[in-house]
Amino acid sequence: MKYTLGDLTPNQMKRYPLYLNYLLSLNYNSETVISNRMISEALGINIEVVKKDIALITDEKGCPRVGRRVSTLVTDLKEILGHNASISAVLVGVGSLGKALLNYDGFKKIGLDIKAAFDVVPMLFEIDINGIVVYPIEQLGKYCRENNIRVGVITTNMESAQGVATSLIDAGVEGIWNFAPVHLKVKKGVVLENMHIENGFSNLYYNLYRSKKGE
Amino acid sequence: MKYTLGDLTPNQMKRYPLYLNYLLSLNYNSETVISNRMISEALGINIEVVKKDIALITDEKGCPRVGRRVSTLVTDLKEILGHNASISAVLVGVGSLGKALLNYDGFKKIGLDIKAAFDVVPMLFEIDINGIVVYPIEQLGKYCRENNIRVGVITTNMESAQGVATSLIDAGVEGIWNFAPVHLKVKKGVVLENMHIENGFSNLYYNLYRSKKGE
DNA sequence: TAGATTGTTAATCGATTAACAATC
DNA sequence: TAGATTGTTAATCGATTAACAATC
């Protein structure tokens, strides 16, 4: 692995998950190989971009007329995408979206370790969802400090999100992954990643328009 | 509105939802004004970028020393983001994520009109979730054709996603909004928008790394 | 008026695309 | 060997940033 995370551009970081997703969709064994061209065509990404992106994150030299082993690429992509890390997190807001995320088994696989969940509704307290226990929101700060929580996942409603974010930041989290459809203010140095489904739809809408136009 | 959707770049289209989100987070009335500078500082987007983006989508001239009315900007942003449209859609896969999305009231507000849901589990059939009825997956194709469905939302598990996508495409949908964490093959001309939560995490992970590095 | 902000043009920077020698 | 693919360098393109006159 020639380059480290810090050398990669945000644009590249957006493409790596696409490569990984695509490779995982193939039925491959330890001998399966793939060429940049195939990746390029499958994903609709210019081949020169693929060549550079891939060459950057792997030590394996591509073999002319053949390509590279899929298994190596998968390993290298996972490494660069942080799937081998284990970042401690809490989730706040155990509504339908919160529950859905807790029930999703994929987080650990990608490097996020949700240690606990928090809510205001007493009926949820001490309930165990997919191995994660729900605690009263009052305990959020204490829990985060005592367990070195690095990331807070916010799945509350719009009204509560800012308050929760502030509590999380006061408790020392480094990053917030916000699923509530609101703009959050975070103090400098705290990383904010917004997962706004509305934005996904805007993109879809835009591309529907373009594709109709292009006909 | 000087420009239309087709004139805007994908990069701009990613920024417009951020502007809208931020403006909506303000307590504004019909007289509240905002300067590009304030937007720029709140969102951490270069002010020249903000100036251009905003000027492009509104007819209201900015007033030096003052800015523009927030209400006008909100209207213009909603227009360009398609919130005034109404695109017919179906949702396939009424698991925890599917249910969470059905329970989310925001879709209609942003221009997506989910008309029906589909699943394989008989226990769910004819159930009404937030006004949306669940039907057997066998009826998917027929329903889409008869109701001119333009978009299919996929919230199935990984295994079923590709099959569902193919059915939707065969039934004539123009776009697929995929929440299943897999790579989907779609035929040319069909718009695919992936909502992969893993990708959000990769971004967060990357920015956590950068922010630590920058200290 | 002075100063902040707008709108726009020019300069810089970075990313994408094209070209091509090297390799199996 | 011929041809496909790699890796890399050069050219182009577009987006971001800087600069500044116009305006209230």
Side-chain angles (χ1 to χ4, degrees), chain B residues 84-131:
Chain B
N84 300 333
S86 175
I87 294 186
S88 304
V90 293
L91 180 144
V92 187
V94 189
S96 49
L97 179 61
K99 275 184 196 135
L101 291 184
L102 291 175
N103 277 312
Y104 174 59
D105 284 320
F107 285 125
K108 259 208 181 114
K109 254 187 253 164
I110 60 170
L112 188 76
D113 187 9
I114 299 182
K115 302 271 193 192
F118 295 85
D119 205 296
V120 288
V121 179
M123 257 185 58
L124 295 165
F125 297 162
E126 298 298 327
I127 279 181
D128 177 316
I129 300 176
N130 201 17

Side-chain angles (χ1 to χ4, degrees), chain A residues 85-92 101-102 107-108 111-118 127-135 140 143-153:
Chain A
S86 174
I87 293 185
S88 304
V90 293
L91 180 145
V92 187
L101 292 184
L102 291 175
F107 285 124
K108 256 206 183 116
L112 189 74
D113 187 8
I114 299 183
K115 301 273 193 190
F118 295 85
I127 281 182
D128 177 317
I129 300 175
N130 201 18
I132 298 157
V133 180
V134 183
Y135 298 105
L140 177 63
Y143 187 95
C144 291
R145 274 185 291 265
E146 286 176 358
N147 295 274
N148 280 309
I149 298 301
R150 295 183 60 195
V151 165
V153 181

Side-chain angles (χ1 to χ4, degrees), chain B residues 169-181:
Chain B
I169 294 166
D170 288 345
V173 303
E174 301 162 35
I176 285 180
W177 197 5
N178 174 41
F179 286 76

Side-chain angles (χ1 to χ4, degrees), chain A residues 11 14 28 40 52 57 59 67 77 79 81 86 91 98-99 119 121 172 180 211:
Chain A
N11 280 9
K14 296 228 169 63
Y28 67 91
S40 160
K52 278 190 197 164
I57 56 141
D59 273 336
L77 283 166
E79 174 63 32
L81 289 171
S86 174
L91 180 145
K99 276 185 196 134
D119 205 296
V121 179
S211 112

